[in-house]
Amino acid sequence: MSSSAARNRVSRDDRLDAVFHALGDRTRRALLARLAKRPAMITELAKPFDMSLPAVSKHIRVLQSAGLVRRAVDGRMHQCSLNGEPLATVEGWLRHYRHFWQGGLESLARYAESKAPIP
């Protein structure tokens, strides 16, 4: 593997690690779900949570560093929006493993059908 290809692979792996880390927290997943509906200010995003604005900002920074959130700053106003591109990368990675879970479900269905009681 050339050094350029190795650097690109490490970079892709690092990005994927960052996305999975960001998605590994339920608060961050809830923030993404909110942003999937529409962009919002950090103060709006903080309302449903029992946490301080700095704590919500810290979650937003993790999402931002993973590329999942874009933040536009206008003075003291911070508008956040969802960036779905990293999710497409995750979906592409998961697609490679789809046959494992689909094959398992099909095998389970065949087993269940073979064990069905005969009327």
Side-chain angles (χ1 to χ4, degrees), residues 7 17 23 25-26 36 44 59 63 73 81-82 85 88 95 101 103 105 114:
R7 276 194 307 275
D17 288 348
L23 294 174
D25 182 272
R26 74 178 62 186
E44 294 174 76
H59 282 296
L63 292 167
V73 180
S81 60
L82 178 66
E85 290 174 28
R95 190 178 315 121
W101 75 74
L105 289 175
S114 72

Side-chain angles (χ1 to χ4, degrees), residues 65-103:
S65 68
L68 292 163
V69 167
R70 293 187 177 124
R71 186 190 311 213
V73 180
D74 183 18
R76 292 175 53 187
M77 306 299 282
H78 292 237
Q79 175 98 4
C80 299
S81 60
L82 178 66
N83 176 25
E85 290 174 28
L87 294 174
T89 303
V90 169
E91 197 279 330
W93 183 83
L94 286 171
R95 190 178 315 121
H96 174 74
Y97 298 97
R98 178 168 289 153
H99 72 279
F100 289 108
W101 75 74
Q102 285 181 334

Side-chain angles (χ1 to χ4, degrees), residues 11-80:
S11 179
R12 264 192 316 253
D13 287 345
D14 289 344
R15 287 191 305 263
L16 199 55
D17 288 348
V19 172
F20 278 119
H21 169 72
L23 294 174
D25 182 272
R26 74 178 62 186
T27 300
R28 291 192 284 269
R29 290 191 305 271
L31 290 167
L32 286 178
R34 169 66 182 80
L35 290 172
K37 295 176 185 172
R38 69 176 182 82
M41 302 292 190
I42 290 189
T43 51
E44 294 174 76
L45 293 170
K47 284 180 185 175
F49 301 101
D50 187 24
M51 63 177 65
S52 66
L53 285 176
V56 172
S57 284
K58 186 175 180 180
H59 282 296
I60 293 295
R61 280 193 301 277
V62 171
L63 292 167
Q64 228 181 323
S65 68
L68 292 163
V69 167
R70 293 187 177 124
R71 186 190 311 213
V73 180
D74 183 18
R76 292 175 53 187
M77 306 299 282
H78 292 237
Q79 175 98 4
C80 299

Side-chain angles (χ1 to χ4, degrees), residues 101-116:
W101 75 74
Q102 285 181 334
L105 289 175
E106 290 166 4
S107 177
L108 178 61
R110 283 191 305 274
Y111 176 78
E113 288 171 2
S114 72
K115 299 299 180 186

